[in-house]
């Protein structure tokens, strides 16, 4: 792994292991999920919208069912894994950088009686610790942006998928054509120098050996989601100050506003990729 990728991985791990980030996401997102939602109404709860994303992604798969081997890379608190285990009977492996999130994940799996169907692995999606062809479906939600080597993430995903396997993922992206410099405040906020794009992921997927690449644009939900998170942050600010530092909350409010603004100006994109080998 090159130095740039290692730096991105280490920064991401430190961030999501932090007391501030762990408490913020657990409080605002509803305790199960960490990803963007799909909204039917302006005031949908973040939890309900996040679950709707899972349903839309699952509908892209022809393989999800009882005993399907699923790998969720960047699994966060494991809400998707529990949902797929409960509703589809899948056997899910959660791979995630943050040991703090992984401990929450393991505890919730045990509390909900799902630990026989879900494994939680501390690990890095640029170097997947699994044999070739180990999974039927790889899944990821809004995690790959944190990689310093996104081509390698797709190559590793392809490697661990069995023949005919599927990779279904979402990721906040920049538009294919963006004015120079306009996204620097967002890059700085997430400690990166770029985001992926639809064109980038389409080409990287083909290079990684995927035969089919499809993308469903859901960009309006990126704007709505970050606006909802900002609304909930302001609404619950008094409670958040009990579990997060003042500085973190201030930076989060500024960062969320940047995502909303970038989306409205057409500089950002988000949606569902479905790939197959």
């Amino acid at each position: 792994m090159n130095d740039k990728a290692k730096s991105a991985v280490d920064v991401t791990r430190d961030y999501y292991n932090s007391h501030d980030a762990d408490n913020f996401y657990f409080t605002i997102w509803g305790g199960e999920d960490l990803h963007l939602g799909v909204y039917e109404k302006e005031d949908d709860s973040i939890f309900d919208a996040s679950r709707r994303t899972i349903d839309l992604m699952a509908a892209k798969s022809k393989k999800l069912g009882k005993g399907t081997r699923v790998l969720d890379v960047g699994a966060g608190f494991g809400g998707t894994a529990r949902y797929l285990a409960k509703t589809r009977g899948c056997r899910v492996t959660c791979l995630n950088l943050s040991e703090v999130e992984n401990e929450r994940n393991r505890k919730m799996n045990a509390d909900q009686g799902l630990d026989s169907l879900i494994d939680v692995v501390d690990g890095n999606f640029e170097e997947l610790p699994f044999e070739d062809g180990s999974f039927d479906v790889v899944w990821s939600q809004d995690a790959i942006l944190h990689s310093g080597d996104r081509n390698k993430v797709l190559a590793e995903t392809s490697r661990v998928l069995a023949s005919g396997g599927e990779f279904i993922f979402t990721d906040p992206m920049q538009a294919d054509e963006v004015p120079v410099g306009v996204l620097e405040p967002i890059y700085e906020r997430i400690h990166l120098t770029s985001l992926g794009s639809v064109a980038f992921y389409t080409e990287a997927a083909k290079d990684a050996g995927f035969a089919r690449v499809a993308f469903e644009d859901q960009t309006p939900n990126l704007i709505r989601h970050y606006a909802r998170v900002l609304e909930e942050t302001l609404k619950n600010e008094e409670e958040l100050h009990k579990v997060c530092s003042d500085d973190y909350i201030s930076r989060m409010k500024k960062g969320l506003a940047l995502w909303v603004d970038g989306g409205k100006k057409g500089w950002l994109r988000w949606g569902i990729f479905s790939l197959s080998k």
Side-chain angles (χ1 to χ4, degrees), residues 2 33 44-45 65 75 81 90 133 135 145 164 170-171 198-199 201 224 231 241 249 254 258 263 274:
N2 61 41
D33 304 303
D44 278 345
S45 73
C90 300
F135 299 96
L145 76 159
T170 61
D171 209 42
V198 174
Y201 281 124
R224 179 67 257 167
E231 289 166 6
H241 279 290
I249 295 169
K254 292 177 182 177
L258 288 172
S274 50

Side-chain angles (χ1 to χ4, degrees), residues 141-256:
Q141 290 175 262
D142 309 329
I144 303 174
L145 76 159
H146 294 296
S147 172
D149 192 345
R150 299 179 189 114
N151 289 91
K152 190 170 185 182
V153 176
L154 269 70
E156 279 287 275
T157 297
S158 179
R159 179 184 67 79
V160 302
L161 275 171
S163 178
E166 301 171 332
F167 182 25
I168 302 170
F169 73 96
T170 61
D171 209 42
M173 297 172 287
Q174 60 191 53
D176 289 330
E177 299 293 334
V178 180
V180 175
V182 297
L183 291 178
E184 288 302 323
I186 288 178
Y187 298 158
E188 182 178 357
R189 162 79 185 132
I190 55 179
H191 306 286
L192 293 172
T193 57
S194 70
L195 293 168
S197 67
V198 174
F200 166 79
Y201 281 124
T202 300
E203 190 64 28
K206 292 177 181 177
D207 290 344
F210 288 97
R212 184 182 69 88
V213 181
F215 175 71
E216 179 182 302
D217 189 82
Q218 291 280 348
T219 300
N221 281 301
L222 176 145
I223 301 166
R224 179 67 257 167
H225 181 81
Y226 284 118
R228 283 290 290 121
V229 174
L230 181 55
E231 289 166 6
E232 289 299 307
T233 299
L234 296 172
K235 177 181 175 182
N236 295 284
E237 191 163 356
E238 184 175 343
E239 289 301 311
L240 282 172
H241 279 290
K242 297 176 182 178
V243 295
C244 300
S245 69
D246 294 352
D247 179 63
Y248 180 87
I249 295 169
S250 176
R251 287 186 288 110
M252 180 59 75
K253 289 189 293 185
K254 292 177 182 177
L256 292 166

